[in-house]
């Protein structure tokens, strides 16, 4: 073996294996913590009840930030000594019910995803910016979280996910330097591969195509698929910057409800692009959200497409879930690889893993406050793994009447 003795090679390989295992078990609480972990800041998304009484109760429980609107609520939250934030969307269709405002799938059919339309429709974009101008003028708030600034995700279903290929996106792709025809051609091939076209058949369940390396080999022959993901990223980052100008122009802080690091690249969201723009990152790490379709919820984002493709209970199920879990880095923490089991709940370690990946992408100083599902039977462990993964805060989605009982395990230091 040229340039490296066999012993040195084995040493490097062993070190690499330890590193991989460490990443898979980044949230392993069985290891003794050797450094003091800073306290978390607690956020509550939503608000109910008497403003004064609820705000006082949240403050007494240890909360720092409330994400909710309404003048009375904002005033009560501020009087209680907490900070008020608002939350806004992105490409919602609103009153626009016509097909012109909707996204178009790879076959040219109009699609609605997350109640949203084409992310490049100028009317939707400008309407969204105007909504942030109005929100930014709200007295008493310190910041605004941006939600839904993306393209369709896997949890919205196969056909909505394969968007947008409308004339506006074709024009936008040319302006951004993308080859739209190559992009459309290769994404169509990918769609056919998944849905049973000429290249499908047994290949869908083969060992090679069910591994990350096998997928990369296929992608090198279909570069337009990566163009499509790059196009999504460029368009999404562009709108984030436009929203940021509005929010920061009003002397407010900007936060994002962003997809987890393992899913964000397929919806057009980039932690790297947003590092210098965004003040607070709140990855949506819902491990056990019970309601379908569950956009941004890991248990649904990882399973809706393989279920819709008919893999459940079939030979393709195991290879498909193995591939997905390998790509996301969760293979080391998820033991039951069935679609049904993952839909029910991912282990708390998945939350720690995603938090750690986000921290690595953002660096050590950026405010990282993942938003997690408030009704978590393993709440104490989940929040502890957010802390150990590098979180500076935790945000609960969303306010329920019995919120104190639900979050109590998280508040215990």
């Amino acid at each position: 073996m040229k340039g490296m003795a066999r012993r040195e090679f084995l040493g490097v390989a062993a070190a690499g294996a330890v590193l991989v295992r460490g990443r898979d078990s980044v949230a392993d609480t069985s290891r003794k913590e050797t450094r003091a972990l800073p306290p978390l800041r607690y956020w509550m998304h939503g608000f109910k009840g008497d403003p004064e009484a609820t705000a006082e109760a949240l403050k007494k429980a240890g909360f720092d930030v409330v994400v909710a609107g309404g003048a009375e609520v904002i005033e009560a939250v501020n009087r209680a000594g907490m900070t008020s934030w608002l939350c806004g969307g992105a490409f919602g269709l609103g009153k626009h019910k016509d097909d012109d405002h909707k996204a178009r799938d790879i076959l040219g059919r109009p699609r609605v995803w997350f109640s949203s339309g084409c992310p490049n429709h100028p009317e939707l974009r400008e309407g969204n910016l105007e909504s942030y101008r109005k929100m930014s003028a709200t007295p008493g708030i310190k910041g605004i979280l941006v939600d839904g600034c993306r393209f369709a995700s896997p949890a919205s279903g196969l056909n909505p996910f394969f968007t947008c290929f409308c004339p506006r996106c074709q024009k936008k792709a040319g302006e951004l330097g993308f080859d739209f025809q190559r992009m459309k051609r290769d994404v169509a091939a990918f769609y056919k591969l998944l849905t049973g076209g000429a290249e499908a058949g047994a290949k869908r369940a083969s060992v090679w195509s069910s591994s990350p390396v096998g997928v990369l080999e296929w992608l090198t022959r279909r570069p337009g698929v990566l163009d499509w993901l790059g196009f999504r990223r460029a368009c999404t980052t562009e709108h984030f910057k436009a929203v940021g100008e509005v929010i920061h122009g009003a002397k407010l802080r900007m936060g994002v409800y962003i997809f987890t690091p393992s899913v964000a690249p397929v919806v057009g969201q980039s932690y790297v692009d947003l590092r210098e723009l965004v003040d607070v990152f709140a990855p949506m790490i819902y491990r056990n959200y019970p309601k379908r379709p569950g956009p941004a919820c890991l248990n649904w984002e990882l399973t809706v497409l393989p279920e819709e493709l008919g893999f459940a209970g079939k030979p393709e199920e195991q290879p498909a879930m193995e591939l997905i879990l390998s790509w996301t880095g969760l293979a080391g923490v998820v033991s039951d690889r069935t679609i049904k089991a993952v839909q029910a709940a991912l282990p708390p370690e998945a939350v720690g893993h995603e938090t750690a990946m986000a921290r690595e992408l953002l660096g050590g100083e950026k405010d990282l406050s993942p938003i997690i599902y408030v009704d978590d039977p393993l709440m104490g462990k989940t929040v502890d793994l957010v802390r150990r993964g590098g979180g500076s805060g935790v945000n609960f989605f969303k306010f329920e009447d019995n919120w104190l009982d639900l979050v109590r395990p998280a508040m215990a230091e």
Side-chain angles (χ1 to χ4, degrees), residues 140-204:
I141 64 170
K142 295 296 183 183
I144 300 176
L145 283 149
V146 182
D147 187 26
C149 188
R150 58 179 177 85
F151 283 71
S153 72
S156 289
L158 182 71
N159 292 307
F161 175 58
F162 276 86
T163 54
C164 179
F165 295 92
C166 73
R168 279 176 299 274
C169 284
Q170 180 173 3
K171 181 175 181 292
K172 187 70 173 181
E175 294 171 354
L176 294 172
F178 289 92
D179 184 336
F180 184 80
Q181 294 306 320
R182 184 176 79 168
M183 185 168 73
K184 188 173 182 180
R185 178 201 68 201
D186 289 353
V187 172
F190 184 33
Y191 181 83
K192 289 180 181 178
L193 175 65
L194 292 176
T195 56
E199 295 184 66
K203 188 174 181 180
R204 293 201 300 178

Side-chain angles (χ1 to χ4, degrees), residues 117-153:
C118 171
N120 283 314
H121 197 294
E123 195 170 359
L124 295 183
R125 280 199 174 201
E126 180 51 38
N128 184 240
L129 293 177
E130 181 59 26
S131 73
Y132 281 103
R133 294 185 192 107
K134 292 179 179 178
M135 273 189 285
S136 296
T138 304
I141 64 170
K142 295 296 183 183
I144 300 176
L145 283 149
V146 182
D147 187 26
C149 188
R150 58 179 177 85
F151 283 71
S153 72

Side-chain angles (χ1 to χ4, degrees), residues 202-215 315 318-320 322-323:
K203 188 174 181 180
R204 293 201 300 178
S206 73
V207 174
W208 179 251
S209 64
S210 64
S211 69
V213 173
V215 173
Q318 188 78 15
E322 186 71 35
L323 172 61

Side-chain angles (χ1 to χ4, degrees), residues 47-92:
F47 195 96
K48 291 181 183 178
D50 176 73
E52 295 293 334
T54 301
E56 288 294 335
L58 285 166
K59 177 63 177 177
K60 184 178 179 180
F63 279 84
D64 304 283
V65 187
V66 173
V67 184
E72 289 187 17
V73 170
I74 293 170
E75 290 170 5
V77 166
N78 290 337
R79 278 196 297 271
M82 297 181 292
T83 301
S84 291
W85 281 58
L86 296 180
C87 176
F91 308 119

Side-chain angles (χ1 to χ4, degrees), residues 310-333:
F311 290 170
K314 302 288 181 62
E316 294 100 330
E317 181 176 25
Q318 188 78 15
M321 292 309 301
E322 186 71 35
L323 172 61
I324 291 169
L325 293 170
S326 296
W327 265 110
T328 57
L330 295 172
V333 300

Side-chain angles (χ1 to χ4, degrees), residues 152-380:
S153 72
S156 289
L158 182 71
N159 292 307
F161 175 58
F162 276 86
T163 54
C164 179
F165 295 92
C166 73
R168 279 176 299 274
C169 284
Q170 180 173 3
K171 181 175 181 292
K172 187 70 173 181
E175 294 171 354
L176 294 172
F178 289 92
D179 184 336
F180 184 80
Q181 294 306 320
R182 184 176 79 168
M183 185 168 73
K184 188 173 182 180
R185 178 201 68 201
D186 289 353
V187 172
F190 184 33
Y191 181 83
K192 289 180 181 178
L193 175 65
L194 292 176
T195 56
E199 295 184 66
K203 188 174 181 180
R204 293 201 300 178
S206 73
V207 174
W208 179 251
S209 64
S210 64
S211 69
V213 173
V215 173
L216 284 176
E217 191 277 335
W218 189 88
L219 286 173
T220 58
R221 295 185 286 111
R222 298 291 186 181
V225 175
L226 295 180
D227 292 344
W228 174 52
L229 298 180
F231 172 69
R232 286 179 153 215
R233 172 175 173 171
C235 297
T236 300
T237 297
E238 180 182 73
H239 193 65
F240 266 126
K241 289 180 178 177
V243 174
E245 289 178 3
V246 173
I247 295 175
H248 288 142
K251 309 302 181 186
L252 297 172
R253 300 186 76 205
M254 178 184 180
V256 291
Y257 282 143
I258 189 170
F259 274 53
T260 66
S262 65
V263 183
V266 303
V267 301
Q269 294 179 331
S270 167
Y271 283 70
V272 173
D273 286 358
L274 301 179
R275 275 189 309 214
E276 303 306 316
L277 172 66
V278 172
D279 302 301
V280 179
F281 283 80
M284 297 174 283
I285 319 180
Y286 310 123
R287 72 175 193 88
N288 64 320
Y289 190 71
K291 299 177 183 178
R292 194 185 186 114
C297 306
L298 273 178
N299 56 323
W300 294 105
E301 292 293 352
L302 303 183
T303 58
V304 166
L305 289 192
E307 182 184 59
E308 192 172 326
L309 290 167
F311 290 170
K314 302 288 181 62
E316 294 100 330
E317 181 176 25
Q318 188 78 15
M321 292 309 301
E322 186 71 35
L323 172 61
I324 291 169
L325 293 170
S326 296
W327 265 110
T328 57
L330 295 172
V333 300
V334 178
S335 56
D336 192 331
R337 310 297 174 77
T338 63
I339 292 171
K340 183 178 180 180
V342 174
Q343 283 181 351
L346 287 160
E349 286 78 9
V351 178
H353 172 81
E354 296 287 348
T355 304
M357 286 204 295
R359 175 54 72 198
E360 186 171 308
L361 287 167
L362 297 175
E365 301 301 321
K366 187 66 67 173
D367 190 332
L368 173 61
S369 298
I371 181 167
I372 63 174
Y373 184 48
V374 71
D375 193 359
D376 185 341
L378 299 175
M379 177 63 76

